[in-house]
Amino acid sequence: MQGKKMTTIGVRTSCLAKRYAQAFYAVCGSNITTKQATQIKALAFFLMNQKKLLFYLRLSVIDDQIKRRAIIMITKQFDLDFFVEPLVSLLLSHKRIILFAEVMYALSIQYQKKHNRLHMIVASPIPLDDQLRAELVLMIEQKIGMQIDVDAIIDDTLIAGLRAVSDTWY
């Protein structure tokens, strides 16, 4: 999940997915909690890595109700089934269910923008203690003017220093 760039669909469909996410956020965005935003992003990455599922969603011979049930079963594992059900229905009725994963990702980005937050992955050659991590977060927040959420990982390929990566940019 961390550090991967999602590139399964083209620029044109990516723009379309962002528009669906913006519309859905305009209607339901005020109800999204921080926990749900995290789950939405996790769901998006999960779906992007499910190549077979994405393939089956493209098949017109598979009934929309079967596609709906499959997606709702998956979203239930992320505690998002009731929240995303209207979006699934809309995408199915527009014959754009293949965009679901990308819409979920765009929805998580929309949430981050609206709440002035940024998710970063910080890699270091050694584990970061709590004090160093807090100082790092404070320094980055002051530089970029946003609140950040940091996932720290150990990267054996680094000789010294840190590498901070964000999967979004504004």
Side-chain angles (χ1 to χ4, degrees):
M1 176 175 116
Q2 298 176 347
K4 291 185 180 178
K5 191 69 177 162
M6 298 189 300
T7 57
T8 59
I9 61 178
V11 173
R12 185 169 179 226
T13 52
S14 179
C15 290
L16 188 57
K18 286 178 187 175
R19 290 187 187 237
Y20 275 104
Q22 288 169 344
F24 189 71
Y25 192 88
V27 174
C28 300
S30 61
N31 299 331
I32 299 175
T33 65
T34 303
K35 181 183 177 192
Q36 284 176 322
T38 303
Q39 292 298 91
I40 288 168
K41 189 171 187 177
L43 173 63
F45 279 107
F46 172 79
L47 291 170
M48 285 297 191
N49 289 318
Q50 302 303 313
K51 303 295 183 191
K52 286 182 182 178
L53 175 64
L54 295 174
F55 171 76
Y56 287 123
L57 289 177
R58 290 182 184 265
L59 297 177
S60 60
V61 295
I62 297 177
D63 185 56
D64 284 350
Q65 291 306 317
I66 294 171
K67 292 176 185 178
R68 177 193 315 277
R69 281 195 304 268
I71 290 175
I72 296 302
M73 280 177 37
I74 292 169
T75 59
K76 195 175 279 193
Q77 300 302 313
F78 291 85
D79 294 326
L80 294 171
D81 49 325
F82 294 110
F83 177 72
V84 299
E85 194 166 357
L87 178 63
V88 171
S89 296
L90 179 68
L91 291 171
L92 281 168
S93 69
H94 290 177
K95 303 295 183 200
R96 296 222 162 89
I97 195 64
I98 188 64
L99 297 176
F100 183 66
E102 190 76 14
V103 172
M104 288 290 94
Y105 183 72
L107 192 58
S108 73
I109 300 303
Q110 191 75 22
Y111 178 86
Q112 288 176 339
K113 284 182 183 178
K114 295 290 183 186
H115 289 85
N116 200 31
R117 300 193 70 78
L118 183 65
H119 178 261
M120 297 190 89
I121 300 165
V122 176
S124 68
I126 58 171
L128 298 176
D129 62 25
D130 291 339
Q131 180 184 357
L132 184 58
R133 183 184 175 125
E135 290 173 10
L136 177 67
V137 166
L138 182 63
M139 181 191 72
I140 294 173
E141 286 178 345
Q142 288 174 345
K143 289 272 186 198
I144 64 173
M146 303 178 94
Q147 291 181 334
I148 63 168
D149 300 317
V150 172
D151 285 334
I153 61 171
I154 298 172
D155 186 348
D156 297 340
T157 62
L158 290 175
I159 297 171
L162 300 168
R163 181 177 61 236
V165 179
S166 172
D167 56 358
T168 62
W169 53 89
Y170 302 97

